[in-house]
Amino acid sequence: MMERLSRAVRTVADFPTSGIQFKDITPILSDAELLRFAVESLADPYRNAGITKVIGIEARGFIFGAMLADELNAGFIPVRKKGKLPYTTVEETYSLEYGSDTIEMHTDAVHESDRVLIHDDVIATGGTAAATHRLVAFGGGSVVGYSFLVELSDLNGRALLDHGVPVHSLLKY
Ligand code: AMP
């Protein structure tokens, strides 16, 4: 099944800009069996970790992030690009594989007692996940895990993450 999942990720050359090999996960989303398998596999390492909140990073991180929150009986927190969240926010600017960006989270989203899992569909340079960790730190919550569907191993994004926190990715390219 993991083989099937791996084959379902479609690599699109030169999207959104020249030189980027874009990992398109939509063929997983459209296959009911693969979708269920992916969500269960993402949840497995964290079932007994006492996760209270799952953070999903805009936009594709919302899809599995919300499903993962449901699977782990946790709440869901969206981290969004600047200007999209309606309430007061905390923000972080970071660089990514193509360009730079600012992300935001609601100031009341994470509490000190929260055990947070950070999810995104793809980890490339790790800048987005690292910036998200800094947003959680603002609210005083602890990040107890990182979860990715796809890891682009050559970019070594893990190096930017907190080395004391487990990182699980289902598919490595
Ligand atoms: P990074 O901060 O470099 O780890 O980039 C992670 C963010 O950019 C994630 O939200 C990914 O969805 C997106 N991303 C970066 N590179 C790729 C890629 N090659 N294929 C698909 N998504 C990517």
Side-chain angles (χ1 to χ4, degrees), residues 11-78:
T11 303
V12 180
D14 300 321
F15 182 89
T17 55
S18 153
I20 300 296
Q21 299 286 318
F22 191 87
K23 297 297 183 192
D24 175 19
I25 62 156
T26 59
I28 296 174
L29 302 179
S30 63
D31 182 313
E33 260 180 32
L34 286 180
L35 184 60
R36 177 101 308 263
F37 175 74
V39 171
E40 287 174 357
S41 303
L42 285 169
D44 281 345
Y46 296 109
R47 288 192 194 279
N48 299 312
I51 305 288
T52 59
K53 301 273 171 63
V54 176
I55 288 183
I57 303 171
E58 182 171 0
R60 292 178 307 276
F62 289 173
I63 302 167
F64 283 109
M67 294 179 81
L68 201 47
D70 180 60
E71 188 76 12
L72 294 172
N73 293 312
F76 175 76
I77 298 172

